Amino acid sequence: MAADMRLPTVQKTVSLSASAFDRKDLVVPGDVITSDTGFMRGHGTYVDDDKLTASVAGEVQRVDKLICVRPLKTRFNGEVGDVVVGRVTEVQQKRWKVETNSRLDSVLLLSSVNLPGGELRRRSAEDELTMREYLQEGDLISAEVQSVFSDGALSLHTRSLKYGKLGQGVLVQLSPSLIKRQKTHFHNLPCGASIILGNNGFVWLYPTPEQLDEEAGGFYTSLEPVSLSDREVISRLRNCLLALAAHKVLLYDTSVLYCYESSVPHEVKDILKPEVMEEIVMLTQQKLLEQEG
């Protein structure tokens, strides 16, 4: 009986010359990065037979003598000040657990939220008993990373009125690496909708509110019917986000708006057709290059 056999392939050694790093070498698990013992082992690498080897698929990065591999696809590693969009998964004692696309569930403490009325006071046992009136399982929130625990879990806060419970809209889940870091991640787009670009890759699209309810402390959510025109704008923006993400284009207010403008000649449902998607993204990239030039 004949059997197919595969001979082991020769492991590729990645050159660590300056020109190689300019090329941003890509490696897969098992690739030998270098056999030079003068380098330090960083994240995404391990030593095998005195050779520095990649443990994840990604891009080789070198800082002086330290070599690490930055994964192409990874969970969100939050930093203090990052804006996130998350979903409440559990109500616990004096805290909510929130899914934020990171390795561990994030934590939102009762002491880290603005209660309706905006008053700054000590949280009482009564507040603890009414926690579900503010946020319950399944609710979406926007928040800011307040601190990072030693195990990497994130502590969130919603003390600013721009943060809080999210009402009617659409959540788009993308890779965190596609979100461009900016001074603000909240944008009211001229097309009639607003967007929250969470650093964790969760993007929230919603109708631009006419006014903010300051008294609600970030917990008021409008349940008024959303007009057909607003729903069409939000659907178009969602498809534009998916088109940009499919072609690995950085997401920020300008790139999203240019993509929206480029998609106007097409029906909303047609944007996700491969040929239309390619045309729209190409036009967007041209506009971005013209702006930079």
Side-chain angles (χ1 to χ4, degrees), residues 93-117:
Q93 187 176 10
K94 294 187 180 179
R95 65 179 60 194
W96 292 271
K97 280 177 75 174
V98 185
E99 157 60 17
T100 54
N101 197 25
S102 30
R103 287 179 292 109
L104 299 167
D105 275 334
S106 301
V107 172
L108 176 64
L109 297 173
L110 179 59
S111 57
S112 299
V113 302
N114 266 348
L115 295 180

Side-chain angles (χ1 to χ4, degrees), residues 88-242:
V88 176
T89 56
E90 196 178 330
V91 182
Q92 297 180 329
Q93 187 176 10
K94 294 187 180 179
R95 65 179 60 194
W96 292 271
K97 280 177 75 174
V98 185
E99 157 60 17
T100 54
N101 197 25
S102 30
R103 287 179 292 109
L104 299 167
D105 275 334
S106 301
V107 172
L108 176 64
L109 297 173
L110 179 59
S111 57
S112 299
V113 302
N114 266 348
L115 295 180
E119 65 260 50
L120 296 171
R121 56 179 171 80
R122 291 181 69 85
R123 305 297 188 251
S124 63
E126 191 181 327
D127 291 325
E128 199 175 331
L129 290 170
T130 58
M131 278 174 66
R132 278 183 197 277
E133 289 182 16
Y134 308 130
L135 293 169
Q136 57 187 351
E137 290 89 349
D139 282 347
L140 283 162
I141 62 165
S142 60
E144 187 177 305
V145 177
Q146 185 174 27
S147 59
V148 183
F149 295 119
S150 56
D151 61 357
L154 306 176
S155 177
L156 310 176
H157 81 86
T158 63
R159 286 211 190 91
S160 165
L161 285 176
K162 65 182 177 181
Y163 302 123
K165 186 175 174 181
L166 300 174
Q168 300 196 89
V170 172
L171 179 69
V172 187
Q173 300 184 23
L174 305 167
S175 168
S177 59
L178 292 175
I179 307 295
K180 184 177 180 180
R181 288 183 178 274
Q182 291 186 288
K183 283 184 179 177
T184 178
H185 286 253
F186 292 75
H187 302 284
N188 294 332
L189 300 175
C191 56
S194 297
I195 187 169
I196 303 173
L197 292 159
N199 285 111
N200 59 332
F202 286 8
V203 179
W204 181 249
L205 298 166
Y206 60 105
T208 303
E210 290 177 15
Q211 79 244 13
L212 283 173
D213 188 346
E214 303 271 323
E215 291 299 307
F219 291 104
Y220 169 77
T221 53
S222 170
L223 294 177
E224 290 295 313
V226 179
S227 68
L228 178 62
S229 59
D230 281 346
R231 293 204 301 272
E232 282 182 352
V233 168
I234 290 169
S235 300
R236 184 177 291 277
L237 279 170
R238 173 195 173 272
N239 287 356
C240 286
L241 287 171
L242 295 176

